[in-house]
Amino acid sequence: MADVVVSSDNTNPKELLGQGIRAYVLQDYTSAVAALSKASELLVAEHGDDLHDSLADVYLYYGKALLGLSREDSEALGDAVRNKDESDEEDEEEVENRETEGGDEKEVTENAEANGTVSSSEEKKEGSSSEADTNVESNGDEKDCEPSASTSADGVEENADAEDEPTDLQVAWEVLELAKTIYKKRGEDGKKNLAETLVILGEVSLESENFESAINDIKEGLRMQKELFPDDSRTVAETFYKLGVAYSTDTQIDEAVESFQSSLRYLQNRINNLEKAGDGKDEVAEEIEEIKGLVPDIEEKIADMKSYKDETMKQIMSAVAESKPTSSAAGGPSSSVSADSSTSKPASDISHLVKRKRKLDEIAEESEKDVEASPAKKVPS
């Protein structure tokens, strides 16, 4: 798969946006970030406002590309499935529309298509955020970590202020927050893109292990998508899946199972509707087969969540049982309950203890009298 070439001399934000989207679709995240970063800088300089309406799409794809680059750099094994749903088709349609407007850009995208395309059923990688590696030198004494250093060709170390450099995830979060603000200003016209932005923000938070924020953002985006898309939407199914991943990572098992089951329900609706309207068309049959290929993965996650819950409950019950006192313990109370336990006195009623003490005192007094009266017990003078 050929990378998208981003010219350093290109100063056309529209062309750079098109190149960035094409690179993102081809999963060439490095080129996508380069193009979209430059496009955003040019537009901010042109309008003098980092919240100008023209920057919304640039920020959205810039954030998505940074998230992809972070996952790629961390070489993480993920479990969120990348599907060809409504959002993917819109990405490709937007690229095609832009290709008809820009000469240089069209040539770049045609070269990319000639060398390879993105599989619609490719898996997205889910992983933790990538951070700059730091080299720590030690001479045996305790010292603070120093910034990482790179070695030049002549062997001279060049210190880099890596600690001051924001990570890809931090930049992604910042630009997506800007995109969210702009889409909110558009009202109903920006609702669809706003929902997508919220879901991507949730994924960024999930990568950063900010689970509460991740769940809240994905849920809000999902709420909007359910209003915008039909009940067989693969976009909604994918968002339900992502929400399930967020819940499971935060060990909210019941919520995770419910989200995965909702994802399955949307996919099954899609299969049913395709089968009704397909009439044997090859493209419909291919999509049905593709969706059916996603189902086992989701079913496996549901089974894993239920098994995890059952195992956790067993461990809790075992721990509770071990902590209970037994009758074999020295001086310990018996764990058995008598048949007439329902008639036992409440803990606040100690009259039976008082009566028992009096009876014991009476027995003791009688024993003392018996000892005094017995000739055998008298000490001889």
Side-chain angles (χ1 to χ4, degrees):
M1 185 184 298
D3 291 341
V4 176
V5 179
V6 180
S7 173
S8 59
D9 299 328
N10 193 340
T11 57
N12 187 327
K14 199 170 188 179
E15 290 182 4
L16 288 167
L17 174 58
Q19 291 175 359
I21 295 174
R22 168 57 65 185
Y24 173 77
V25 171
L26 295 175
Q27 296 187 348
D28 178 8
Y29 300 123
T30 301
S31 297
V33 167
L36 295 165
S37 174
K38 189 170 183 180
S40 65
E41 291 176 3
L42 291 169
L43 286 172
V44 170
E46 178 182 346
H47 299 288
D49 181 10
D50 59 1
L51 290 175
H52 191 270
D53 189 75
S54 63
L55 280 155
D57 292 347
V58 177
Y59 287 147
L60 173 57
Y61 281 97
Y62 189 16
K64 290 165 72 174
L66 284 164
L67 176 60
L69 184 61
S70 175
R71 289 170 173 168
E72 189 177 73
D73 288 345
S74 64
E75 297 181 354
L77 297 176
D79 54 1
V81 180
R82 176 68 175 175
N83 304 322
K84 182 173 182 176
D85 53 20
E86 289 92 334
S87 61
D88 290 329
E89 291 169 358
E90 288 166 6
D91 291 345
E92 294 175 2
E93 288 175 4
E94 187 166 355
V95 171
E96 291 172 2
N97 293 336
R98 294 178 187 280
E99 285 177 353
T100 61
E101 300 173 0
D104 294 339
E105 180 189 339
K106 183 176 181 180
E107 182 179 347
V108 171
T109 53
E110 285 176 350
N111 290 337
E113 288 179 343
N115 287 278
T117 56
V118 179
S119 169
S120 61
S121 61
E122 261 188 296
E123 291 190 355
K124 264 185 194 175
K125 289 188 175 182
E126 289 276 352
S128 57
S129 62
S130 62
E131 298 178 355
D133 292 335
T134 56
N135 298 323
V136 182
E137 295 182 1
S138 174
N139 59 0
D141 298 328
E142 293 183 0
K143 291 184 178 181
D144 294 333
C145 296
E146 299 177 358
S148 60
S150 59
T151 305
S152 60
D154 57 358
V156 179
E157 283 191 333
E158 300 172 354
N159 289 329
D161 296 330
E163 294 179 358
D164 297 332
E165 290 292 329
T167 65
D168 291 334
L169 289 177
Q170 289 172 331
V171 178
W173 185 85
E174 291 173 2
V175 297
L176 288 168
E177 282 290 330
L178 293 173
K180 182 176 77 172
T181 301
I182 298 173
Y183 287 132
K184 279 184 175 180
K185 290 181 179 179
R186 294 183 183 179
E188 286 297 317
D189 292 338
K191 195 171 182 179
K192 186 176 179 181
N193 287 328
L194 175 59
E196 181 182 3
T197 303
L198 286 166
V199 174
I200 303 300
L201 269 170
E203 291 188 77
V204 171
S205 295
L206 184 59
E207 294 290 328
S208 304
E209 299 183 0
N210 188 348
F211 303 129
E212 182 179 358
S213 178
I215 291 170
N216 290 338
D217 283 337
I218 295 176
K219 283 175 65 177
E220 180 62 18
L222 178 62
R223 183 189 63 79
M224 295 181 184
Q225 288 179 342
K226 288 168 68 177
E227 296 175 357
L228 294 167
F229 296 105
D231 62 359
D232 67 343
S233 168
R234 293 181 66 179
T235 295
V236 178
E238 185 178 9
T239 302
F240 264 121
Y241 183 92
K242 292 174 181 177
L243 182 59
V245 171
Y247 275 131
S248 62
T249 308
D250 197 34
T251 62
Q252 298 188 46
I253 307 305
D254 291 337
E255 292 82 355
V257 170
E258 183 179 353
S259 296
F260 288 134
Q261 288 174 338
S262 296
S263 179
L264 278 179
R265 186 171 63 253
Y266 270 78
L267 292 178
Q268 189 58 54
N269 289 344
R270 180 66 175 168
I271 292 174
N272 294 340
N273 291 338
L274 287 172
E275 289 176 341
K276 291 177 182 177
D279 296 331
K281 294 180 181 179
D282 291 341
E283 60 270 19
V284 173
E286 288 178 4
E287 184 177 355
I288 291 174
E289 194 66 25
E290 180 185 344
I291 296 174
K292 287 182 177 179
L294 302 175
V295 170
D297 175 63
I298 303 175
E299 290 177 335
E300 182 180 355
K301 289 198 174 299
I302 294 173
D304 288 344
M305 291 297 98
K306 290 182 177 179
S307 296
Y308 175 83
K309 182 179 179 180
D310 291 343
E311 185 62 29
T312 302
M313 290 304 297
K314 287 180 181 178
Q315 292 177 358
I316 292 173
M317 295 301 293
S318 177
V320 171
E322 290 178 359
S323 65
K324 286 183 178 180
T326 62
S327 58
S328 60
S334 172
S335 60
S336 61
V337 180
S338 62
D340 60 345
S341 59
S342 59
T343 61
S344 60
K345 297 181 181 296
S348 59
D349 185 0
I350 61 172
S351 60
H352 60 295
L353 298 178
V354 175
K355 292 178 181 178
R356 178 179 175 83
K357 183 178 184 301
R358 288 176 178 173
K359 188 173 183 179
L360 291 173
D361 291 343
E362 291 173 359
I363 294 173
E365 289 177 1
E366 291 176 359
S367 298
E368 290 178 359
K369 291 178 180 178
D370 291 342
V371 169
E372 292 175 356
S374 174
K377 299 294 181 180
K378 293 182 180 181
V379 178
S381 54

